[in-house]
Amino acid sequence: MFLPTIPTPEEVLDKAFSRAKKAASKTRTSKIPRQMKGKRVEEARVKTACDVIEASFKSILDKTPKVEDLPMFYQDYIDVVVGVDKLKKSLGALNWAIGIISKLQNQYVHKIRRSKGENAASIRRAAFGRISSVINRIRDELDFLDYAKARLRNMPTIDFDAITAVIAGYPNVGKSTLLRKITTAEPKVADYPFTTTGIQIGHMERRWQKYQIIDTPGLLDRPIENMNEIELNAMVALEHLAHVILFIFDVSETSGYFMDSQFKLLMEIKRVFKTPVICIFNKIDLVENVNILNEYMDKVEEPLQVEASQGIGISQVLDKLEEFGDEKKKRRRANV
Ligand SMILES: Nc1nc2c(ncn2[C@@H]2O[C@H](COP(=O)(O)OP(=O)(O)OP(=O)(O)O)[C@@H](O)[C@H]2O)c(=O)[nH]1
Ligand SMILES: [Mg+2]
C-alpha cells in the first residue's frame, strides 16, 4: 500500500465544517459577556475547520513514502504506472493547501477578534468561503491521488535481500512450469503494468540465501523493437531488479517459435539488459533433431538442459543459481 485513503473535496469540507460546528457547541461561553460570546464561537469554528483540514492533509503526506527514498525498482514502477512528476505535483498541492489554510486561519481569527460581535458570523462565513475555494482548487490533484492510490494498491512486494532471477523466453516455452518447479509454494501473483496476467514471484531458499524468481508474462517474451515506450520503461524497472536472467529455449519448437527466432530474442535481451544470463534448454524430451540442439548449445556459455514438466535438470538450475548467488555475495562483501 503506497498511498493512504484520499478524500474528495466534499468530504474534506464536510468533515471540517461539521467538526467546526461541534467545536462551537462545546465552546464554553457561560461566564463571558454576551457580546463576546458570538466572537468566541465563530473563532472556534474557523480554527477547528482549518485544523481539521491541515491534520487530514498532513496525515496523507506523512503516510506517503518519499518516492526518491524508495528502491529504484519502485520508483520506476510508480513512474510507469502513474508518473512520478505528476504524483509529486499532486502531493505538492496538498502542501500548498496546508500553507494557505493556515494563513487564512490566522487572518480570519484575527478579524473575528477585532470585530464587533454582531459581525463575527459573517466573517466566519467569508472564511469558510475562502477555505472551500482553496479545497476546490486542488480537486484535480485529490482526484489524481485517489486514482494513483488505486493503481498502486497491488504493487509487487519485492525482497531486496534476495538474489533475484527474472525469467525470459518466448510464449509457451515452459517459463511458468520452470518457475513452479524451482520454487516450492505456488508463486504469488501481483499486479504488473503491461502484462495481462500480472507478475509472478516464486521464492526459494538455499544455504541461508533467499532467491526470488520472477515471471512477467507478456513482457520478456517477444522482440523488443515491437514494444511501446511504456513497455520499455517496464523493462528498465526489471533491469533494476534482476541479478540474473533465466532465458528459456523451447528446443522442441512445439511452442511455435523456431530456434533462430528464440536465439535472436536472447541476443536482444542480452543487449538491453546488462545482467548475466543463464541459458536453459527446455523440453529436451521432445527433441527430434539433436544437431540443432547442439548447434545452439554451442553458441552459449554453460548451457543447461531440462525437462521442466518432469522436473528433470532442475537441480542443475538450482546449483547454477546458487553458484551465482555465492559470487554475488562475494562481490557484495568486496564492495564494503
Ligand atoms: N514435453 C514437455 N512439455 C513441457 C515442458 N515444459 C513445459 N511443457 C509444456 O509446455 C506448455 C507451456 O508451458 P508454460 O510453462 O505454460 O509456458 P510459458 O512459457 O509459461 O507460457 P506463457 O506463459 O504463455 O508465455 C505446457 O503445456 C507445459 O506442460 C517439457 O520440458 N517437456
Ligand atoms: Mg507462463
Side-chain angles (χ1 to χ4, degrees):
M1 183 74 71
F2 179 70
L3 281 160
T5 304
I6 309 292
T8 63
E10 288 71 25
E11 284 164 349
V12 173
L13 293 171
D14 274 359
K15 185 170 155 194
F17 295 158
S18 70
R19 289 271 183 86
K21 205 168 178 186
K22 244 186 236 159
S25 70
K26 283 187 190 148
T27 308
R28 290 191 192 185
T29 50
S30 55
K31 284 191 183 132
I32 52 174
R34 178 180 263 276
Q35 67 272 28
M36 291 289 288
K37 280 184 189 174
K39 286 166 70 164
R40 265 305 156 79
V41 167
E42 301 304 349
E43 179 181 332
R45 281 178 85 169
V46 171
K47 263 192 182 158
T48 307
C50 293
D51 285 348
V52 166
I53 294 172
E54 277 179 48
S56 144
F57 287 176
K58 276 196 179 132
S59 142
I60 293 173
L61 292 171
D62 287 347
K63 285 180 189 156
T64 306
K66 278 208 167 48
V67 176
E68 54 269 30
D69 293 345
L70 296 173
M72 261 335 262
F73 170 77
Y74 286 129
Q75 296 194 28
D76 285 336
Y77 181 94
I78 293 167
D79 205 27
V80 170
V81 178
V82 297
V84 166
D85 286 346
K86 202 142 183 241
L87 183 66
K88 282 193 181 161
K89 190 179 150 265
S90 300
L91 291 168
L94 295 189
N95 248 324
W96 170 83
I98 291 173
I100 301 283
I101 296 284
S102 132
K103 267 191 205 148
L104 288 176
Q105 186 180 38
N106 286 336
Q107 196 182 327
Y108 279 88
V109 164
H110 204 68
K111 265 193 189 173
I112 290 171
R113 284 187 189 163
R114 278 185 324 191
S115 70
K116 296 202 175 74
E118 63 267 28
N119 291 338
S122 70
I123 296 171
R124 187 262 307 157
R125 273 194 293 275
F128 278 18
R130 298 275 303 271
I131 292 169
S132 303
S133 79
V134 169
I135 301 305
N136 278 309
R137 266 181 67 180
I138 60 165
R139 177 180 297 276
D140 287 351
E141 285 81 2
L142 287 171
D143 263 2
F144 177 77
L145 288 173
D146 187 50
Y147 157 84
K149 177 193 159 63
R151 292 294 315 272
L152 298 173
R153 182 174 293 140
N154 296 325
M155 244 183 357
T157 316
I158 304 295
D159 179 357
F160 289 94
D161 293 327
I163 303 280
T164 303
V166 173
I167 300 183
Y170 266 106
N172 243 11
V173 296
K175 300 185 295 294
S176 302
T177 309
L178 187 85
L179 177 70
R180 275 196 302 273
K181 283 286 173 342
I182 295 179
T183 56
T184 41
E186 269 298 295
K188 260 200 214 141
V189 179
D191 269 6
Y192 195 66
F194 323 111
T195 78
T196 42
T197 45
I199 187 172
Q200 296 199 50
I201 308 179
H203 299 271
M204 66 141 189
E205 198 170 323
R206 263 206 154 191
R207 291 204 291 143
W208 307 286
Q209 172 63 54
K210 286 184 193 156
Y211 294 82
Q212 64 195 345
I213 321 283
I214 300 182
D215 186 13
T216 57
L219 196 63
L220 295 177
D221 61 1
R222 65 211 163 93
I224 291 154
E225 69 235 34
N226 298 345
M227 288 187 178
N228 62 33
E229 194 191 342
I230 291 170
E231 287 166 332
L232 286 171
N233 288 337
M235 297 265 293
V236 174
L238 278 182
E239 188 180 9
H240 285 129
L241 207 59
H243 295 120
V244 60
I245 290 173
L246 298 177
F247 188 88
I248 323 284
F249 283 102
D250 164 16
V251 295
S252 72
E253 300 180 338
T254 51
S255 54
Y257 300 97
F258 291 121
M259 280 301 279
D260 71 325
S261 327
Q262 297 187 51
F263 189 75
K264 271 192 199 127
L265 180 60
L266 168 68
M267 289 295 112
E268 254 190 88
I269 282 177
K270 277 193 165 171
R271 183 171 55 79
V272 173
F273 283 81
K274 310 275 174 278
T275 312
V277 178
I278 298 175
C279 288
I280 296 170
F281 291 80
N282 189 31
K283 306 198 192 178
I284 43 163
D285 54 309
L286 299 179
V287 166
E288 281 172 0
N289 189 338
V290 181
N291 290 336
I292 296 189
L293 172 62
N294 287 337
E295 180 194 332
Y296 284 96
M297 295 251 297
D298 286 344
K299 289 189 188 200
V300 304
E301 273 171 48
E302 303 185 45
L304 297 172
Q305 292 187 27
V306 304
E307 184 185 343
S309 46
Q310 297 301 318
I312 296 168
I314 296 299
S315 66
Q316 281 90 315
V317 175
L318 294 179
D319 288 347
K320 190 113 228 130
L321 268 177
E322 192 178 330
E323 211 177 281
F324 187 86
D326 286 345
E327 256 172 57
K328 189 91 209 153
K329 267 198 264 179
K330 260 186 239 152
R331 242 176 296 147
R332 211 178 273 166
R333 245 179 265 136
N335 281 343
V336 273

